[in-house]
Amino acid sequence: MKTKFITGAALAPYTAEKRMWQGIPGIEVSKGGRIFYCAYSGGITEGAGNFAFLLCSTDGGKTFQELAVADPGPEGRTYDPTLWIDPLGRLWFIWATAPQNRVEFVRLDDPDGDLTTWSEVKKLGFDIMLNKPIVTKNGDWLFPCAVWRDGLLSCGWGNDGNPVGSHVFVSRDRGETFSLLGTAIAKDRWFDEHMLLEQKDGDLSMFIRTRFGIAKAVSTDGGTTWTEGVDAGLGGPNSRFYIGRLQSGNLLLVNHRHFVGRNNLTALLSEDDGKTWPYELLLDERTPVSYPDVKQAEDGTIYIAYDFQRGAQYHAEVDYSNHARALLYARITEEDIRAGKLISKSGSLKQAASILGKR
């Protein structure tokens, strides 16, 4: 089973008018200001028949056009996509594919140029990689791929014997080849959805989704060996979060605060490398809002993608057709977070990339 990468007129069966639900987003912004937004859909819920899709805005986020789809066919699924612009300026569109149980990607060499010239579909690692890679000071490109805990499989498909854990794959040739570098394990890890961070002292931290919120593991040897993941003290309702370093050197955390389930999605700022988080800005108070991804653009603007009321058929007794089924984003600055409210001229919250249902 081979994943088809689809563009142009062949996108007609996948467009918003045909999608019944959508969620789990990722976001990137090119040097020239194009906004790329990915998510996945297909069928009525998360399972066989899912496809990952990519949107693009060339007008600063006012409108988004359907750009591409990764589809393995009705017997498989592509899911948990993410986007990354590497140090060479190339856009990566990355997704998980089942039942092959591997991470795949395509690349666009010039995201500010021709949007039709993509690489072939290539394999990166095994199982799932929902969050962005990082580039360390020594030049390693580190990719957070995971194999979920035993008993937590992708729609019942096995993992082909791949070792479970929150893995780190490394590329030392600018994304041409990849190899498994190291693995961390955290107690009560769930859908790992882990993120990597290089601390100012050179150590690597890994943050992992768990039943209790977020666990943290540490590597002092560049990612080869890791401590056991323990509670990071950051809270959260067992859902995806974002943590990363801003251009200023400060850390940004997007997580649920004072939550009852998946509500109160909030941006938090740390000026001491994660020891304290004294500043916060509420992005969206509604339920359920979830699964943030972040890109800081060249001009310093922070874009935060997330979903609201996905519309996936999780419970037979619920009519999900009345849900918003919205892919949203916020546009903020560090100053907004410090102020606890929007003070920037271009700041905005609850902006739509795609909405299938009610607003």
Side-chain angles (χ1 to χ4, degrees), residues 11-177:
L11 290 174
Y14 303 93
T15 56
E17 294 78 12
K18 304 294 180 63
R19 295 196 291 267
M20 298 182 65
W21 72 281
Q22 56 187 359
I24 303 89
I27 196 165
E28 263 294 351
V29 183
S30 70
K31 189 173 183 179
R34 286 178 172 174
I35 304 172
F36 296 89
Y37 198 117
C38 70
Y40 81 91
S41 184
I44 62 173
T45 193
E46 300 175 38
N50 290 159
F51 57 84
F53 64 92
L54 179 61
L55 310 176
C56 179
S57 175
T58 58
D59 58 9
K62 296 176 184 177
T63 61
F64 285 80
Q65 293 76 45
E66 311 275 349
L67 185 59
V69 160
D71 183 8
E75 301 304 316
R77 68 185 299 227
T78 56
Y79 62 107
D80 283 7
T82 193
L83 296 170
W84 183 51
I85 292 181
D86 69 24
L88 303 179
R90 303 175 299 182
L91 175 68
W92 297 52
F93 180 24
I94 307 168
W95 58 82
T97 301
Q100 297 93 328
N101 300 302
R102 65 187 180 213
V103 177
E104 298 178 328
F105 70 95
V106 292
R107 276 198 306 244
L108 181 68
D109 285 349
D110 182 9
D112 285 316
D114 180 9
L115 294 176
T116 65
T117 308
W118 294 83
S119 73
E120 64 182 4
V121 176
K122 300 179 181 180
K123 179 182 176 181
L124 193 158
F126 40 68
D127 274 49
I128 299 156
M129 195 193 93
L130 180 60
N131 292 313
K132 287 177 168 60
I134 66 167
V135 179
T136 62
K137 294 174 184 175
N138 71 359
D140 286 351
W141 294 13
L142 303 183
F143 298 79
C145 300
V147 178
W148 294 334
R149 65 177 177 82
D150 292 331
L152 192 65
L153 302 175
S154 171
C155 297
W157 288 308
N159 63 24
D160 291 340
N162 295 327
V164 298
S166 302
H167 303 306
V168 180
F169 278 74
V170 62
S171 178
R172 296 190 170 107
D173 53 12
R174 303 193 297 183
E176 295 305 309
T177 62

Side-chain angles (χ1 to χ4, degrees), residues 266-336:
T266 302
L268 300 98
L269 188 69
S270 174
E271 298 175 325
D272 56 11
D273 222 29
K275 296 181 178 66
T276 61
W277 301 87
Y279 308 107
E280 59 184 72
L281 171 65
L282 179 63
L283 303 172
D284 199 323
E285 76 287 352
R286 296 173 295 178
T287 304
V289 288
S290 65
Y291 272 58
D293 187 41
V294 174
K295 168 66 175 187
Q296 186 174 28
E298 294 279 323
D299 66 0
T301 303
I302 301 165
Y303 292 80
I304 304 173
Y306 62 97
D307 58 33
F308 171 53
Q309 291 186 336
R310 293 175 190 168
Q313 301 275 331
Y314 298 120
H315 304 286
E317 68 277 8
V318 178
D319 180 7
Y320 290 96
S321 65
N322 291 322
H323 284 198
R325 295 170 285 164
L327 301 174
L328 305 176
Y329 70 96
R331 184 169 49 223
I332 64 172
T333 65
E334 279 198 48
E335 290 70 28
D336 294 329

